[in-house]
Amino acid sequence: MDAGNPKQRGGNWLLNWVEARVDLSAIRHFIAKKTVPMHRHSIWYYFGGMALFLFCVQVATGILLLLYYRPTAEAAFESVQFIVAEVEFGWLIRNVHSWAANLMIAVLFVHMFSAFMMKAYRQPRELTWVSGVLLLGLSLGFGFSGYLLPWNELAFFATKVGTEIVNDVPVIGHWLLLYLRGGEEVTGATLTRFFGFHVAVLPMVTTALLALHLLLVQSQGMSRPPSVEASEEPKRDMPFVPQFALRDLLGWLVILGVLVSLAAFFPWELGTKADPFAPTPAGIQPEWYFLFAFEFLKLVPAEVFSIEGEFLAIAFLGLAGLVWLLVPFLDRRSSRGLPSPLFTWFGVLAMIFVFGLTLVGWLHANP
Ligand code: HEM
């Protein structure tokens, strides 16, 4: 092929130019044959794409915030104040970053519970599920570490309370507290650590795991839920390009609309600068996505059968998280194509636990 005169090849000249140098046939073949199952639950397939879009928004706005943010106890609060008040469109970037973080976690919960209820974790998608649960954990880590960065009063005390809970983790609790805080107390050392987690460690690990998650999804294709597999209805599929991709794009536009409206009309509060010597204000609460765990810890009595309540509650949450992570290996019936009502009920109970306790926590905060 003559790659020297691209203009002669009209609109596709760029593609031809690239193809003359790189073999794109595998990608072409993949795109031509990739399809997505169509059935009454297909709507849930859009949430993974929305999460991906929001992750990209986080990376882009995070890099912009980094241009002015300063990670020290002396300068962090003032640098955020400067971003919001002085930097052109800084207020918008900060609001979008904060709102997109919350939307991403909300979308991830929907993505996870829908994948669970459609039993999308069953063989051969065990690793897609495991990588997904770890990605949710990492996203919660982003939320927890990012919350402290403005070094305002609310964030300071929420981090103090949050890291105190870590102290009750069996065996390694105190070591974990020292590791997170960089000492016995929440200080500038904690801020520097959280900054490191937030902008280096977590993005690196998340990007690697996300690549694995997406690679698995692409190589295995989307699953059909067992109820659709078993039904008499004819099985229908939709080409990924352009039909499904355009619908995905529509999902991105919808979430972008929601995001920009929230960012423009509901500015993210900055409050007052943290004062480590001030007493802990009453009613300190974590971000909404930690409320269910926080409420659960409060609900468990101080002592159960002479064992410390908080210890029991943390052990229970840890064990439940482990079972949730390993669900594809425990639900063997689903993988053999058999109904598994026990796991359906486990999913329903998990949703009631998370949403119910989040609501209780929210009602406590807003009586
Ligand atoms: C940053 C976080 C995540 C991103 C960007 C992401 C992205 C995606 C995308 C784009 C898909 C294909 C479309 C779809 O099914 O919605 C997908 C599929 C899937 N995801 Fe995620 N995901 C994330 C986290 C999670 C979590 C937390 C779980 C569950 C614990 C999970 C489990 C799955 C499963 C099982 C599939 C396959 C669905 C099927 O084949 O039917 N993902 N993910």
Side-chain angles (χ1 to χ4, degrees), residues 84-120:
V84 175
E86 303 290 334
V87 178
E88 257 185 273
F89 293 107
W91 61 274
L92 187 62
I93 300 297
R94 172 169 188 252
N95 284 349
V96 166
H97 193 76
S98 307
W99 275 113
N102 284 272
L103 278 181
M104 179 172 149
I105 289 176
V107 164
L108 278 183
F109 272 112
V110 176
H111 179 53
M112 179 175 75
F113 282 124
S114 60
F116 188 97
M117 295 315 281
M118 295 200 291
K119 309 266 166 85

PDB file of all heavy atoms in Angstrom, residues 84-120:
ATOM      1  N   VAL A  84     -10.956  27.619  44.858  1.00  0.00           N
ATOM      2  CA  VAL A  84     -12.379  27.924  44.745  1.00  0.00           C
ATOM      3  C   VAL A  84     -12.613  29.408  44.435  1.00  0.00           C
ATOM      4  O   VAL A  84     -13.489  29.765  43.645  1.00  0.00           O
ATOM      5  CB  VAL A  84     -13.092  27.530  46.067  1.00  0.00           C
ATOM      6  CG1 VAL A  84     -14.545  27.934  46.033  1.00  0.00           C
ATOM      7  CG2 VAL A  84     -12.972  26.040  46.292  1.00  0.00           C
ATOM      8  N   ALA A  85     -11.813  30.275  45.050  1.00  0.00           N
ATOM      9  CA  ALA A  85     -12.095  31.712  44.941  1.00  0.00           C
ATOM     10  C   ALA A  85     -11.309  32.415  43.837  1.00  0.00           C
ATOM     11  O   ALA A  85     -11.801  33.377  43.247  1.00  0.00           O
ATOM     12  CB  ALA A  85     -11.818  32.386  46.289  1.00  0.00           C
ATOM     13  N   GLU A  86     -10.091  31.976  43.559  1.00  0.00           N
ATOM     14  CA  GLU A  86      -9.216  32.752  42.666  1.00  0.00           C
ATOM     15  C   GLU A  86      -8.970  32.105  41.301  1.00  0.00           C
ATOM     16  O   GLU A  86      -8.914  32.788  40.285  1.00  0.00           O
ATOM     17  CB  GLU A  86      -7.844  32.969  43.329  1.00  0.00           C
ATOM     18  CG  GLU A  86      -7.889  33.647  44.684  1.00  0.00           C
ATOM     19  CD  GLU A  86      -8.281  35.114  44.602  1.00  0.00           C
ATOM     20  OE1 GLU A  86      -8.045  35.747  43.556  1.00  0.00           O
ATOM     21  OE2 GLU A  86      -8.850  35.613  45.595  1.00  0.00           O
ATOM     22  N   VAL A  87      -8.798  30.777  41.283  1.00  0.00           N
ATOM     23  CA  VAL A  87      -8.458  30.108  40.022  1.00  0.00           C
ATOM     24  C   VAL A  87      -9.688  30.106  39.113  1.00  0.00           C
ATOM     25  O   VAL A  87     -10.801  29.808  39.577  1.00  0.00           O
ATOM     26  CB  VAL A  87      -7.999  28.655  40.284  1.00  0.00           C
ATOM     27  CG1 VAL A  87      -7.693  27.931  38.988  1.00  0.00           C
ATOM     28  CG2 VAL A  87      -6.792  28.638  41.207  1.00  0.00           C
ATOM     29  N   GLU A  88      -9.464  30.424  37.839  1.00  0.00           N
ATOM     30  CA  GLU A  88     -10.612  30.467  36.916  1.00  0.00           C
ATOM     31  C   GLU A  88     -11.233  29.087  36.772  1.00  0.00           C
ATOM     32  O   GLU A  88     -10.537  28.118  36.479  1.00  0.00           O
ATOM     33  CB  GLU A  88     -10.160  30.988  35.556  1.00  0.00           C
ATOM     34  CG  GLU A  88     -10.595  32.443  35.404  1.00  0.00           C
ATOM     35  CD  GLU A  88     -10.299  32.991  34.051  1.00  0.00           C
ATOM     36  OE1 GLU A  88      -9.159  33.477  33.885  1.00  0.00           O
ATOM     37  OE2 GLU A  88     -11.175  32.915  33.193  1.00  0.00           O
ATOM     38  N   PHE A  89     -12.532  29.009  37.019  1.00  0.00           N
ATOM     39  CA  PHE A  89     -13.299  27.759  36.989  1.00  0.00           C
ATOM     40  C   PHE A  89     -12.810  26.728  38.013  1.00  0.00           C
ATOM     41  O   PHE A  89     -13.195  25.568  37.951  1.00  0.00           O
ATOM     42  CB  PHE A  89     -13.330  27.142  35.582  1.00  0.00           C
ATOM     43  CG  PHE A  89     -14.100  27.989  34.610  1.00  0.00           C
ATOM     44  CD1 PHE A  89     -13.450  28.717  33.630  1.00  0.00           C
ATOM     45  CD2 PHE A  89     -15.485  28.069  34.709  1.00  0.00           C
ATOM     46  CE1 PHE A  89     -14.162  29.520  32.768  1.00  0.00           C
ATOM     47  CE2 PHE A  89     -16.210  28.873  33.839  1.00  0.00           C
ATOM     48  CZ  PHE A  89     -15.545  29.597  32.860  1.00  0.00           C
ATOM     49  N   GLY A  90     -11.978  27.175  38.946  1.00  0.00           N
ATOM     50  CA  GLY A  90     -11.498  26.264  39.989  1.00  0.00           C
ATOM     51  C   GLY A  90     -12.672  25.717  40.800  1.00  0.00           C
ATOM     52  O   GLY A  90     -12.696  24.533  41.152  1.00  0.00           O
ATOM     53  N   TRP A  91     -13.651  26.589  41.097  1.00  0.00           N
ATOM     54  CA  TRP A  91     -14.826  26.157  41.875  1.00  0.00           C
ATOM     55  C   TRP A  91     -15.541  25.012  41.149  1.00  0.00           C
ATOM     56  O   TRP A  91     -15.984  24.046  41.768  1.00  0.00           O
ATOM     57  CB  TRP A  91     -15.793  27.340  42.096  1.00  0.00           C
ATOM     58  CG  TRP A  91     -16.324  27.928  40.805  1.00  0.00           C
ATOM     59  CD1 TRP A  91     -15.729  28.881  40.040  1.00  0.00           C
ATOM     60  CD2 TRP A  91     -17.516  27.542  40.103  1.00  0.00           C
ATOM     61  NE1 TRP A  91     -16.471  29.130  38.911  1.00  0.00           N
ATOM     62  CE2 TRP A  91     -17.584  28.334  38.928  1.00  0.00           C
ATOM     63  CE3 TRP A  91     -18.539  26.636  40.366  1.00  0.00           C
ATOM     64  CZ2 TRP A  91     -18.627  28.216  38.005  1.00  0.00           C
ATOM     65  CZ3 TRP A  91     -19.583  26.522  39.452  1.00  0.00           C
ATOM     66  CH2 TRP A  91     -19.619  27.312  38.284  1.00  0.00           C
ATOM     67  N   LEU A  92     -15.621  25.121  39.814  1.00  0.00           N
ATOM     68  CA  LEU A  92     -16.337  24.107  39.045  1.00  0.00           C
ATOM     69  C   LEU A  92     -15.576  22.778  39.079  1.00  0.00           C
ATOM     70  O   LEU A  92     -16.164  21.715  39.298  1.00  0.00           O
ATOM     71  CB  LEU A  92     -16.515  24.583  37.592  1.00  0.00           C
ATOM     72  CG  LEU A  92     -17.378  23.694  36.722  1.00  0.00           C
ATOM     73  CD1 LEU A  92     -18.803  23.600  37.247  1.00  0.00           C
ATOM     74  CD2 LEU A  92     -17.416  24.206  35.280  1.00  0.00           C
ATOM     75  N   ILE A  93     -14.271  22.866  38.894  1.00  0.00           N
ATOM     76  CA  ILE A  93     -13.452  21.643  38.887  1.00  0.00           C
ATOM     77  C   ILE A  93     -13.548  20.944  40.246  1.00  0.00           C
ATOM     78  O   ILE A  93     -13.738  19.728  40.330  1.00  0.00           O
ATOM     79  CB  ILE A  93     -11.965  21.984  38.571  1.00  0.00           C
ATOM     80  CG1 ILE A  93     -11.841  22.646  37.201  1.00  0.00           C
ATOM     81  CG2 ILE A  93     -11.079  20.749  38.653  1.00  0.00           C
ATOM     82  CD1 ILE A  93     -12.270  21.783  36.045  1.00  0.00           C
ATOM     83  N   ARG A  94     -13.469  21.733  41.340  1.00  0.00           N
ATOM     84  CA  ARG A  94     -13.541  21.107  42.665  1.00  0.00           C
ATOM     85  C   ARG A  94     -14.924  20.484  42.888  1.00  0.00           C
ATOM     86  O   ARG A  94     -15.041  19.362  43.395  1.00  0.00           O
ATOM     87  CB  ARG A  94     -13.258  22.142  43.761  1.00  0.00           C
ATOM     88  CG  ARG A  94     -13.513  21.565  45.117  1.00  0.00           C
ATOM     89  CD  ARG A  94     -13.036  22.396  46.290  1.00  0.00           C
ATOM     90  NE  ARG A  94     -13.192  21.612  47.505  1.00  0.00           N
ATOM     91  CZ  ARG A  94     -14.121  21.847  48.429  1.00  0.00           C
ATOM     92  NH1 ARG A  94     -14.976  22.851  48.307  1.00  0.00           N
ATOM     93  NH2 ARG A  94     -14.201  21.081  49.500  1.00  0.00           N
ATOM     94  N   ASN A  95     -15.988  21.213  42.500  1.00  0.00           N
ATOM     95  CA  ASN A  95     -17.339  20.681  42.681  1.00  0.00           C
ATOM     96  C   ASN A  95     -17.552  19.416  41.860  1.00  0.00           C
ATOM     97  O   ASN A  95     -18.148  18.455  42.321  1.00  0.00           O
ATOM     98  CB  ASN A  95     -18.386  21.727  42.281  1.00  0.00           C
ATOM     99  CG  ASN A  95     -18.527  22.808  43.329  1.00  0.00           C
ATOM    100  OD1 ASN A  95     -17.989  22.669  44.430  1.00  0.00           O
ATOM    101  ND2 ASN A  95     -19.217  23.874  42.992  1.00  0.00           N
ATOM    102  N   VAL A  96     -17.056  19.434  40.612  1.00  0.00           N
ATOM    103  CA  VAL A  96     -17.233  18.254  39.750  1.00  0.00           C
ATOM    104  C   VAL A  96     -16.475  17.069  40.364  1.00  0.00           C
ATOM    105  O   VAL A  96     -16.993  15.951  40.433  1.00  0.00           O
ATOM    106  CB  VAL A  96     -16.750  18.537  38.303  1.00  0.00           C
ATOM    107  CG1 VAL A  96     -16.614  17.246  37.509  1.00  0.00           C
ATOM    108  CG2 VAL A  96     -17.713  19.478  37.590  1.00  0.00           C
ATOM    109  N   HIS A  97     -15.255  17.321  40.859  1.00  0.00           N
ATOM    110  CA  HIS A  97     -14.452  16.232  41.443  1.00  0.00           C
ATOM    111  C   HIS A  97     -15.183  15.635  42.660  1.00  0.00           C
ATOM    112  O   HIS A  97     -15.262  14.413  42.805  1.00  0.00           O
ATOM    113  CB  HIS A  97     -13.077  16.763  41.840  1.00  0.00           C
ATOM    114  CG  HIS A  97     -12.074  15.688  42.147  1.00  0.00           C
ATOM    115  ND1 HIS A  97     -11.454  14.951  41.162  1.00  0.00           N
ATOM    116  CD2 HIS A  97     -11.588  15.213  43.327  1.00  0.00           C
ATOM    117  CE1 HIS A  97     -10.628  14.072  41.720  1.00  0.00           C
ATOM    118  NE2 HIS A  97     -10.686  14.215  43.038  1.00  0.00           N
ATOM    119  N   SER A  98     -15.725  16.498  43.508  1.00  0.00           N
ATOM    120  CA  SER A  98     -16.379  15.993  44.722  1.00  0.00           C
ATOM    121  C   SER A  98     -17.683  15.266  44.398  1.00  0.00           C
ATOM    122  O   SER A  98     -17.967  14.201  44.939  1.00  0.00           O
ATOM    123  CB  SER A  98     -16.687  17.149  45.686  1.00  0.00           C
ATOM    124  OG  SER A  98     -15.518  17.888  45.907  1.00  0.00           O
ATOM    125  N   TRP A  99     -18.488  15.856  43.512  1.00  0.00           N
ATOM    126  CA  TRP A  99     -19.762  15.217  43.173  1.00  0.00           C
ATOM    127  C   TRP A  99     -19.552  13.926  42.393  1.00  0.00           C
ATOM    128  O   TRP A  99     -20.257  12.937  42.606  1.00  0.00           O
ATOM    129  CB  TRP A  99     -20.660  16.173  42.376  1.00  0.00           C
ATOM    130  CG  TRP A  99     -21.453  17.088  43.260  1.00  0.00           C
ATOM    131  CD1 TRP A  99     -21.319  18.435  43.375  1.00  0.00           C
ATOM    132  CD2 TRP A  99     -22.510  16.716  44.162  1.00  0.00           C
ATOM    133  NE1 TRP A  99     -22.216  18.930  44.291  1.00  0.00           N
ATOM    134  CE2 TRP A  99     -22.960  17.891  44.792  1.00  0.00           C
ATOM    135  CE3 TRP A  99     -23.113  15.500  44.513  1.00  0.00           C
ATOM    136  CZ2 TRP A  99     -23.987  17.894  45.732  1.00  0.00           C
ATOM    137  CZ3 TRP A  99     -24.134  15.502  45.456  1.00  0.00           C
ATOM    138  CH2 TRP A  99     -24.563  16.690  46.053  1.00  0.00           C
ATOM    139  N   ALA A 100     -18.575  13.928  41.464  1.00  0.00           N
ATOM    140  CA  ALA A 100     -18.341  12.730  40.644  1.00  0.00           C
ATOM    141  C   ALA A 100     -17.876  11.571  41.526  1.00  0.00           C
ATOM    142  O   ALA A 100     -18.208  10.417  41.259  1.00  0.00           O
ATOM    143  CB  ALA A 100     -17.321  13.005  39.547  1.00  0.00           C
ATOM    144  N   ALA A 101     -17.120  11.885  42.595  1.00  0.00           N
ATOM    145  CA  ALA A 101     -16.675  10.831  43.511  1.00  0.00           C
ATOM    146  C   ALA A 101     -17.897  10.156  44.136  1.00  0.00           C
ATOM    147  O   ALA A 101     -17.992   8.926  44.193  1.00  0.00           O
ATOM    148  CB  ALA A 101     -15.794  11.431  44.600  1.00  0.00           C
ATOM    149  N   ASN A 102     -18.860  10.986  44.571  1.00  0.00           N
ATOM    150  CA  ASN A 102     -20.053  10.432  45.202  1.00  0.00           C
ATOM    151  C   ASN A 102     -20.927   9.677  44.207  1.00  0.00           C
ATOM    152  O   ASN A 102     -21.436   8.597  44.503  1.00  0.00           O
ATOM    153  CB  ASN A 102     -20.861  11.559  45.860  1.00  0.00           C
ATOM    154  CG  ASN A 102     -20.200  11.999  47.153  1.00  0.00           C
ATOM    155  OD1 ASN A 102     -20.463  11.432  48.202  1.00  0.00           O
ATOM    156  ND2 ASN A 102     -19.308  12.960  47.074  1.00  0.00           N
ATOM    157  N   LEU A 103     -21.075  10.264  43.005  1.00  0.00           N
ATOM    158  CA  LEU A 103     -21.880   9.591  41.988  1.00  0.00           C
ATOM    159  C   LEU A 103     -21.251   8.258  41.599  1.00  0.00           C
ATOM    160  O   LEU A 103     -21.937   7.267  41.395  1.00  0.00           O
ATOM    161  CB  LEU A 103     -21.998  10.472  40.736  1.00  0.00           C
ATOM    162  CG  LEU A 103     -23.053  11.570  40.781  1.00  0.00           C
ATOM    163  CD1 LEU A 103     -23.054  12.333  39.460  1.00  0.00           C
ATOM    164  CD2 LEU A 103     -24.437  10.989  41.034  1.00  0.00           C
ATOM    165  N   MET A 104     -19.905   8.250  41.497  1.00  0.00           N
ATOM    166  CA  MET A 104     -19.225   7.023  41.085  1.00  0.00           C
ATOM    167  C   MET A 104     -19.504   5.906  42.093  1.00  0.00           C
ATOM    168  O   MET A 104     -19.800   4.769  41.707  1.00  0.00           O
ATOM    169  CB  MET A 104     -17.724   7.265  40.948  1.00  0.00           C
ATOM    170  CG  MET A 104     -16.978   6.022  40.550  1.00  0.00           C
ATOM    171  SD  MET A 104     -15.255   6.385  40.169  1.00  0.00           S
ATOM    172  CE  MET A 104     -14.502   4.861  40.663  1.00  0.00           C
ATOM    173  N   ILE A 105     -19.445   6.231  43.371  1.00  0.00           N
ATOM    174  CA  ILE A 105     -19.677   5.184  44.378  1.00  0.00           C
ATOM    175  C   ILE A 105     -21.139   4.728  44.337  1.00  0.00           C
ATOM    176  O   ILE A 105     -21.415   3.527  44.411  1.00  0.00           O
ATOM    177  CB  ILE A 105     -19.230   5.677  45.769  1.00  0.00           C
ATOM    178  CG1 ILE A 105     -17.690   5.740  45.764  1.00  0.00           C
ATOM    179  CG2 ILE A 105     -19.723   4.749  46.868  1.00  0.00           C
ATOM    180  CD1 ILE A 105     -17.050   6.278  46.997  1.00  0.00           C
ATOM    181  N   ALA A 106     -22.068   5.672  44.142  1.00  0.00           N
ATOM    182  CA  ALA A 106     -23.488   5.291  44.043  1.00  0.00           C
ATOM    183  C   ALA A 106     -23.695   4.369  42.829  1.00  0.00           C
ATOM    184  O   ALA A 106     -24.351   3.334  42.920  1.00  0.00           O
ATOM    185  CB  ALA A 106     -24.350   6.547  43.924  1.00  0.00           C
ATOM    186  N   VAL A 107     -23.098   4.749  41.678  1.00  0.00           N
ATOM    187  CA  VAL A 107     -23.239   3.957  40.452  1.00  0.00           C
ATOM    188  C   VAL A 107     -22.598   2.572  40.650  1.00  0.00           C
ATOM    189  O   VAL A 107     -23.127   1.556  40.196  1.00  0.00           O
ATOM    190  CB  VAL A 107     -22.595   4.719  39.265  1.00  0.00           C
ATOM    191  CG1 VAL A 107     -22.370   3.801  38.083  1.00  0.00           C
ATOM    192  CG2 VAL A 107     -23.480   5.895  38.858  1.00  0.00           C
ATOM    193  N   LEU A 108     -21.477   2.532  41.375  1.00  0.00           N
ATOM    194  CA  LEU A 108     -20.803   1.248  41.614  1.00  0.00           C
ATOM    195  C   LEU A 108     -21.659   0.309  42.458  1.00  0.00           C
ATOM    196  O   LEU A 108     -21.684  -0.895  42.213  1.00  0.00           O
ATOM    197  CB  LEU A 108     -19.457   1.472  42.317  1.00  0.00           C
ATOM    198  CG  LEU A 108     -18.298   1.848  41.412  1.00  0.00           C
ATOM    199  CD1 LEU A 108     -17.015   1.965  42.210  1.00  0.00           C
ATOM    200  CD2 LEU A 108     -18.114   0.807  40.312  1.00  0.00           C
ATOM    201  N   PHE A 109     -22.358   0.871  43.448  1.00  0.00           N
ATOM    202  CA  PHE A 109     -23.246   0.015  44.254  1.00  0.00           C
ATOM    203  C   PHE A 109     -24.335  -0.588  43.364  1.00  0.00           C
ATOM    204  O   PHE A 109     -24.651  -1.772  43.467  1.00  0.00           O
ATOM    205  CB  PHE A 109     -23.863   0.803  45.423  1.00  0.00           C
ATOM    206  CG  PHE A 109     -23.008   0.787  46.669  1.00  0.00           C
ATOM    207  CD1 PHE A 109     -22.382   1.934  47.136  1.00  0.00           C
ATOM    208  CD2 PHE A 109     -22.812  -0.400  47.372  1.00  0.00           C
ATOM    209  CE1 PHE A 109     -21.576   1.905  48.272  1.00  0.00           C
ATOM    210  CE2 PHE A 109     -22.012  -0.437  48.509  1.00  0.00           C
ATOM    211  CZ  PHE A 109     -21.393   0.719  48.966  1.00  0.00           C
ATOM    212  N   VAL A 110     -24.900   0.245  42.460  1.00  0.00           N
ATOM    213  CA  VAL A 110     -25.945  -0.261  41.552  1.00  0.00           C
ATOM    214  C   VAL A 110     -25.349  -1.346  40.640  1.00  0.00           C
ATOM    215  O   VAL A 110     -25.930  -2.420  40.449  1.00  0.00           O
ATOM    216  CB  VAL A 110     -26.534   0.896  40.699  1.00  0.00           C
ATOM    217  CG1 VAL A 110     -27.546   0.362  39.697  1.00  0.00           C
ATOM    218  CG2 VAL A 110     -27.165   1.957  41.591  1.00  0.00           C
ATOM    219  N   HIS A 111     -24.153  -1.053  40.094  1.00  0.00           N
ATOM    220  CA  HIS A 111     -23.466  -2.003  39.195  1.00  0.00           C
ATOM    221  C   HIS A 111     -23.212  -3.328  39.918  1.00  0.00           C
ATOM    222  O   HIS A 111     -23.473  -4.409  39.379  1.00  0.00           O
ATOM    223  CB  HIS A 111     -22.159  -1.344  38.748  1.00  0.00           C
ATOM    224  CG  HIS A 111     -21.298  -2.172  37.849  1.00  0.00           C
ATOM    225  ND1 HIS A 111     -21.745  -2.743  36.688  1.00  0.00           N
ATOM    226  CD2 HIS A 111     -19.980  -2.523  37.946  1.00  0.00           C
ATOM    227  CE1 HIS A 111     -20.745  -3.405  36.103  1.00  0.00           C
ATOM    228  NE2 HIS A 111     -19.676  -3.294  36.854  1.00  0.00           N
ATOM    229  N   MET A 112     -22.756  -3.233  41.173  1.00  0.00           N
ATOM    230  CA  MET A 112     -22.403  -4.446  41.913  1.00  0.00           C
ATOM    231  C   MET A 112     -23.651  -5.263  42.265  1.00  0.00           C
ATOM    232  O   MET A 112     -23.695  -6.464  42.016  1.00  0.00           O
ATOM    233  CB  MET A 112     -21.655  -4.072  43.198  1.00  0.00           C
ATOM    234  CG  MET A 112     -21.293  -5.275  44.019  1.00  0.00           C
ATOM    235  SD  MET A 112     -20.299  -4.822  45.439  1.00  0.00           S
ATOM    236  CE  MET A 112     -21.519  -4.095  46.504  1.00  0.00           C
ATOM    237  N   PHE A 113     -24.673  -4.587  42.804  1.00  0.00           N
ATOM    238  CA  PHE A 113     -25.854  -5.350  43.208  1.00  0.00           C
ATOM    239  C   PHE A 113     -26.588  -5.912  41.988  1.00  0.00           C
ATOM    240  O   PHE A 113     -27.149  -7.008  42.053  1.00  0.00           O
ATOM    241  CB  PHE A 113     -26.785  -4.493  44.078  1.00  0.00           C
ATOM    242  CG  PHE A 113     -26.294  -4.369  45.505  1.00  0.00           C
ATOM    243  CD1 PHE A 113     -26.068  -3.137  46.096  1.00  0.00           C
ATOM    244  CD2 PHE A 113     -26.038  -5.521  46.254  1.00  0.00           C
ATOM    245  CE1 PHE A 113     -25.600  -3.037  47.394  1.00  0.00           C
ATOM    246  CE2 PHE A 113     -25.568  -5.431  47.559  1.00  0.00           C
ATOM    247  CZ  PHE A 113     -25.351  -4.189  48.141  1.00  0.00           C
ATOM    248  N   SER A 114     -26.568  -5.175  40.854  1.00  0.00           N
ATOM    249  CA  SER A 114     -27.242  -5.722  39.666  1.00  0.00           C
ATOM    250  C   SER A 114     -26.460  -6.923  39.139  1.00  0.00           C
ATOM    251  O   SER A 114     -27.054  -7.927  38.752  1.00  0.00           O
ATOM    252  CB  SER A 114     -27.445  -4.652  38.594  1.00  0.00           C
ATOM    253  OG  SER A 114     -26.205  -4.133  38.177  1.00  0.00           O
ATOM    254  N   ALA A 115     -25.118  -6.841  39.150  1.00  0.00           N
ATOM    255  CA  ALA A 115     -24.316  -7.995  38.713  1.00  0.00           C
ATOM    256  C   ALA A 115     -24.592  -9.187  39.631  1.00  0.00           C
ATOM    257  O   ALA A 115     -24.702 -10.324  39.176  1.00  0.00           O
ATOM    258  CB  ALA A 115     -22.826  -7.643  38.729  1.00  0.00           C
ATOM    259  N   PHE A 116     -24.760  -8.888  40.932  1.00  0.00           N
ATOM    260  CA  PHE A 116     -25.035  -9.982  41.875  1.00  0.00           C
ATOM    261  C   PHE A 116     -26.380 -10.638  41.577  1.00  0.00           C
ATOM    262  O   PHE A 116     -26.479 -11.863  41.472  1.00  0.00           O
ATOM    263  CB  PHE A 116     -25.023  -9.467  43.320  1.00  0.00           C
ATOM    264  CG  PHE A 116     -25.107 -10.576  44.335  1.00  0.00           C
ATOM    265  CD1 PHE A 116     -23.959 -11.064  44.939  1.00  0.00           C
ATOM    266  CD2 PHE A 116     -26.324 -11.167  44.655  1.00  0.00           C
ATOM    267  CE1 PHE A 116     -24.021 -12.118  45.840  1.00  0.00           C
ATOM    268  CE2 PHE A 116     -26.407 -12.224  45.548  1.00  0.00           C
ATOM    269  CZ  PHE A 116     -25.254 -12.692  46.155  1.00  0.00           C
ATOM    270  N   MET A 117     -27.424  -9.795  41.444  1.00  0.00           N
ATOM    271  CA  MET A 117     -28.771 -10.359  41.269  1.00  0.00           C
ATOM    272  C   MET A 117     -28.919 -11.076  39.925  1.00  0.00           C
ATOM    273  O   MET A 117     -29.746 -11.963  39.788  1.00  0.00           O
ATOM    274  CB  MET A 117     -29.843  -9.254  41.416  1.00  0.00           C
ATOM    275  CG  MET A 117     -29.917  -8.634  42.792  1.00  0.00           C
ATOM    276  SD  MET A 117     -29.868  -9.819  44.163  1.00  0.00           S
ATOM    277  CE  MET A 117     -31.547 -10.421  44.168  1.00  0.00           C
ATOM    278  N   MET A 118     -28.103 -10.684  38.933  1.00  0.00           N
ATOM    279  CA  MET A 118     -28.147 -11.383  37.632  1.00  0.00           C
ATOM    280  C   MET A 118     -27.174 -12.575  37.641  1.00  0.00           C
ATOM    281  O   MET A 118     -26.950 -13.191  36.620  1.00  0.00           O
ATOM    282  CB  MET A 118     -27.811 -10.411  36.498  1.00  0.00           C
ATOM    283  CG  MET A 118     -28.853  -9.302  36.341  1.00  0.00           C
ATOM    284  SD  MET A 118     -28.823  -8.519  34.743  1.00  0.00           S
ATOM    285  CE  MET A 118     -27.290  -7.637  34.757  1.00  0.00           C
ATOM    286  N   LYS A 119     -26.601 -12.840  38.801  1.00  0.00           N
ATOM    287  CA  LYS A 119     -25.632 -13.938  38.971  1.00  0.00           C
ATOM    288  C   LYS A 119     -24.527 -13.873  37.913  1.00  0.00           C
ATOM    289  O   LYS A 119     -24.063 -14.899  37.402  1.00  0.00           O
ATOM    290  CB  LYS A 119     -26.339 -15.299  38.925  1.00  0.00           C
ATOM    291  CG  LYS A 119     -27.543 -15.418  39.849  1.00  0.00           C
ATOM    292  CD  LYS A 119     -27.169 -16.023  41.182  1.00  0.00           C
ATOM    293  CE  LYS A 119     -28.250 -15.847  42.219  1.00  0.00           C
ATOM    294  NZ  LYS A 119     -29.296 -16.842  42.208  1.00  0.00           N
ATOM    295  N   ALA A 120     -24.107 -12.642  37.583  1.00  0.00           N
ATOM    296  CA  ALA A 120     -23.065 -12.466  36.556  1.00  0.00           C
ATOM    297  C   ALA A 120     -21.707 -12.932  37.078  1.00  0.00           C
ATOM    298  O   ALA A 120     -20.754 -13.001  36.320  1.00  0.00           O
ATOM    299  CB  ALA A 120     -22.995 -10.999  36.137  1.00  0.00           C
TER     300      ALA A 120
END
